[in-house]
Amino acid sequence: MSWRMPSETAPHARTWMAFPVEGPTLGDTDAEREEGYAAWTEVAAAIARFEPVTMVVDPSELARARRMLPGDVTVLEAPVDEFWMRDHGPTFMIDDERPGVLGAVDWIFNGWGAHDWARWERSAEHARIVAAEVGAELISSTLVAEGGGFHVDGEGTVLLTDTVQLDPRRNPYADRARVEAELARTLGTTTAIWLPRGLTRDYDDFGTNGHVDIVATFPSPGRVLLHTQRDAAHPDHAVSAALRELLATQTDAAGRRLEVVELPAPATLRDDEGFVDWSYVNHLVVGGGVIACGFGEDRADAEARAILADAYPGREIVTVDARPIFARGGGIHCITQQQPALPREVTS
């Protein structure tokens, strides 16, 4: 086998999502729940402009999903508890030696480290359900991992954080060498760039303990977009400065010294819960476009769109208000998972 995870910028067959269900993540009041349903629906509608979308929907939410979702979004009925498809769903692979074969990694998912508030038993089955639906070969892993915990450049390099992969609540017996070996087997990576941590808010009880997909990503091989907090009053000012210094010294699988492109945070520093982790890094690349996080700040949102347009030339940048998603613990990238197109599916 020669499994390889393509870059997110490679052609997609579709994007996968999971529709929200009632519970602690969605909210306690009718207004909070409606806000959550609407946010997931808005992201699905934005993606559907560019490529097919399939939404995994719990039987209890079928009527609502069919009423709210655009008609061109496909619904797959399956049990749902958590609805962050990036994390509990499959991570898709291609096989360079077998061009017509799709693979799907089934990581162990334990609710971001078995938090007592997390409900994961149903959604932990999504990798197998989705793999069967698309006819993908299942790649079983003994690593507790989530798709938001790593980013690849499609050419052998992976970004990840110590505090997620080596979290004793996830992988108590792992070390870097073991993690790298398993990612080499499943993702096809040969060079790991380890970041010491993620953003401050992500270490709260409802956080992921440092997912990299809110911190840094590869828009193209050799380049990294880095979340940058410019305000020294926010604790992530020091975090992003240290990460920038580290990344500037790193080389990728091809031996290139990384070019670090700063993607500044919005001006808002706090919400009712404390310092925010609002990040434009948590965008999704789709066919012909980029679905970008918006935070209701015209100047900052526009600056982010300009940086993303430069990073992804030829793609339309579409901003979706991500504040309701971040209020629930993540962003646009966290609730989506791309399925790469196989060679016969690529039409342009």
Side-chain angles (χ1 to χ4, degrees):
M1 301 293 180
S2 55
W3 295 119
R4 178 175 64 86
M5 183 179 180
S7 166
E8 197 170 301
T9 58
H12 299 176
R14 69 181 54 250
T15 290
W16 288 84
M17 299 179 65
F19 198 72
V21 294
E22 291 194 16
T25 299
L26 188 57
D28 298 327
T29 67
D30 288 343
E32 289 174 342
R33 288 189 284 268
E34 289 301 321
E35 179 188 62
Y37 291 126
W40 263 249
T41 297
E42 187 175 0
V43 171
I47 298 169
R49 287 184 47 207
F50 297 94
E51 65 189 40
V53 177
T54 297
M55 185 78 72
V56 179
V57 181
D58 189 81
S60 67
E61 295 290 355
L62 274 176
R64 188 192 314 272
R66 290 195 168 114
R67 182 176 71 248
M68 294 186 69
L69 292 170
D72 52 358
V73 172
T74 301
V75 169
L76 174 64
E77 182 180 353
V80 175
D81 38 30
E82 287 294 350
F83 35 93
W84 305 88
M85 184 59 82
R86 177 70 50 178
D87 293 345
H88 54 71
T91 301
F92 289 103
M93 301 296 120
I94 62 174
D95 186 340
D96 290 324
E97 295 178 356
R98 299 180 297 162
V101 176
L102 182 69
V105 182
D106 180 19
W107 311 106
I108 295 175
F109 179 67
N110 73 345
W112 305 278
H115 292 279
D116 56 9
W117 50 262
R119 302 160 56 198
W120 68 84
E121 291 83 359
R122 294 177 177 178
S123 293
E125 298 296 323
H126 285 176
R128 293 177 178 272
I129 292 169
V130 171
E133 180 71 15
V134 300
E137 289 190 12
L138 199 69
I139 307 165
S140 294
S141 177
T142 57
L143 190 71
V144 177
E146 306 94 36
F150 52 83
H151 260 308
V152 301
D153 67 355
E155 297 186 359
T157 316
V158 61
L159 282 172
L160 64 171
T161 59
D162 287 302
T163 55
V164 169
Q165 310 304 331
L166 307 182
D167 183 353
R169 299 168 301 177
R170 288 174 164 103
N171 299 299
Y173 306 110
D175 56 21
R176 284 186 173 186
R178 289 183 180 181
V179 171
E180 289 181 24
E182 180 63 355
L183 297 184
R185 183 184 75 87
T186 54
L187 304 183
T189 53
T190 58
T191 298
I193 297 175
W194 290 85
L195 305 184
R197 57 162 299 149
L199 302 185
T200 300
R201 177 72 165 262
D202 211 11
Y203 294 89
D204 289 355
D205 186 46
F206 288 94
T208 71
N209 218 47
H211 268 190
V212 77
D213 73 347
I214 205 170
V215 180
T217 187
F218 293 110
S220 57
R223 300 183 83 193
V224 172
L225 288 173
L226 175 67
H227 174 80
T228 302
Q229 176 53 252
R230 294 180 289 194
D231 193 325
H234 195 299
D236 285 337
H237 176 75
V239 171
S240 60
L243 294 178
R244 181 172 57 252
E245 183 176 351
L246 171 65
L247 284 167
T249 68
Q250 300 299 301
T251 53
D252 65 11
R256 291 171 291 227
R257 181 67 62 92
L258 294 181
E259 175 192 357
V260 181
V261 178
E262 296 186 359
L263 192 50
T268 299
L269 299 183
R270 303 181 68 97
D271 63 9
D272 293 341
E273 303 297 326
F275 287 105
V276 299
D277 56 357
W278 293 357
S279 171
Y280 295 108
V281 168
N282 200 260
H283 54 273
L284 176 71
V285 182
V286 293
V290 175
I291 311 303
C293 295
F295 299 102
E297 298 184 18
D298 291 345
R299 179 177 297 180
D301 290 355
E303 181 181 10
R305 277 194 298 273
I307 294 171
L308 292 172
D310 180 71
Y312 301 102
R315 297 180 189 264
E316 180 183 353
I317 314 300
V318 177
T319 297
V320 175
D321 189 349
R323 288 172 293 180
I325 308 174
F326 273 81
R328 287 159 178 80
I332 289 172
H333 196 258
C334 306
I335 68 173
T336 56
Q337 178 63 268
Q338 71 276 1
Q339 176 187 330
L342 298 173
R344 66 175 181 270
E345 298 169 319
V346 178
T347 58
S348 61

